Amino acid sequence: IVKAGTREDPVWKFRNHTQGPLAIKVWLEEAENVVSYPELPNNFVLGAGATRELVTIGAFNSRKSWSYQLRSEALPGDPGARHRPTQAYRPPFAPNQAFVVGQAFGGSFSHSKPDSHYAVDIGMPVGTPIHAAREGIVMDVARWFSGAGTNIEYDGPRANYVRMLHDDGSMAVYAHLDYEGVIVLPGQRVRRGQQIGRSGNTGFSTGPHLHFAIQLNRNMKLVSVPFEFAGPDGQTLTPERGLRLKVSE
């Protein structure tokens, strides 16, 4: 949030630092003699890299004092997006390599929450090239974290990742990448099969692997959705523990 204007006529502008849509919920606390347009609480969607005023706030009665606390929260993704892939997802590694799914949909170790329920963990050595499973635009990245652990509160936010925006508004997350293991930039369009980084062991992790999920923004919460991988012989594969994935192209 960026505050401008004057005390008597404040202007609150909201800035999206990502290269994709950002959903923002705005509300007032401890409001006295205040009116807003549009009425709060309210939800907004801010475009990639945009900065703009979303709400106007002023005194209901200009002859009386007025006060308020403006609160907001933001989450990537357009709540109106729908997951509509035109083909199965390419396994996210180099051609002629094969890796095994260690944890799949609903995995008991760490895939119990909505944002990761339909995620897969693919075991692979640190430094393995990671390739885009689907064409998209790099929405956001983290690249400077190192180390891993099992404290979800501390280690959870410390994973390197690439968040990719697809044409249907869904988002792919490639996580636990190596330190400086991201080789693409926010705003860059990436083709299916293009290398985007290197696998690692960062954040909430017990060993080297790639965490891959497709997510949507639903009611200001990230929710993972089921998907299928493309098999080496043209078939589609539903991820499950022990499944051997291979790219033959």
Side-chain angles (χ1 to χ4, degrees):
I1 302 177
V2 179
K3 185 178 181 181
T6 65
R7 179 180 176 86
E8 294 74 24
D9 187 20
V11 175
W12 295 93
K13 292 186 177 181
F14 293 76
R15 179 177 298 166
N16 179 3
H17 292 281
T18 76
Q19 293 301 308
L22 189 72
I24 303 175
K25 180 179 180 181
V26 184
W27 70 96
L28 294 174
E29 291 182 356
E30 302 177 12
E32 295 184 12
N33 187 33
V34 168
V35 62
S36 68
Y37 181 81
E39 186 177 357
L40 298 179
N42 214 320
N43 293 341
F44 306 88
V45 177
L46 199 57
T51 299
R52 65 184 175 94
E53 185 179 357
L54 299 180
V55 59
T56 301
I57 302 172
F60 181 75
N61 185 338
S62 60
R63 297 182 178 181
K64 295 183 179 181
S65 63
W66 56 297
S67 63
Y68 64 92
Q69 294 289 331
L70 187 68
R71 297 287 184 259
S72 67
E73 62 177 342
L75 202 68
D78 186 338
R82 296 290 183 270
H83 184 223
R84 294 171 178 167
T86 58
Q87 59 182 319
Y89 285 83
R90 179 193 185 280
F93 43 82
N96 300 313
Q97 288 194 312
F99 298 101
V100 174
V101 174
Q103 188 177 199
F105 298 168
S108 59
F109 177 71
S110 61
H111 292 178
S112 58
K113 295 183 178 180
D115 65 336
S116 62
H117 181 82
Y118 289 109
V120 297
D121 290 343
I122 306 171
M124 58 182 63
V126 170
T128 300
I130 299 301
H131 294 241
R134 180 179 173 183
E135 179 185 4
I137 294 174
V138 179
M139 186 173 178
D140 193 20
V141 303
R143 67 176 82 233
W144 304 117
F145 294 116
S146 61
T150 56
N151 183 327
I152 186 63
E153 298 299 325
Y154 176 79
D155 298 306
R158 298 174 65 82
N160 296 319
Y161 66 86
V162 172
R163 178 175 292 275
M164 192 87 68
L165 176 68
H166 302 140
D167 290 344
D168 59 9
S170 65
M171 300 170 289
V173 178
Y174 305 76
H176 305 297
L177 303 181
D178 200 12
Y179 171 73
E180 293 189 328
V182 175
I183 64 172
V184 290
L185 298 172
Q188 180 178 344
R189 177 166 283 279
V190 173
R191 68 183 183 278
R192 176 183 170 104
Q194 180 178 338
Q195 186 179 354
I196 60 174
R198 299 183 302 276
S199 70
N201 183 32
T202 56
F204 181 61
S205 174
T206 59
H209 72 284
L210 174 71
H211 175 93
F212 178 79
I214 307 300
Q215 296 178 333
L216 295 171
N217 182 331
R218 289 291 176 264
N219 298 316
M220 294 302 294
K221 294 185 182 298
L222 287 178
V223 176
S224 56
V225 296
F227 63 90
E228 294 179 315
F229 281 123
D233 299 319
Q235 75 275 42
T236 57
L237 304 172
T238 299
E240 58 184 31
R241 184 179 180 183
L243 175 67
R244 184 174 182 270
L245 296 171
K246 184 177 181 180
V247 180
S248 59
E249 62 189 51

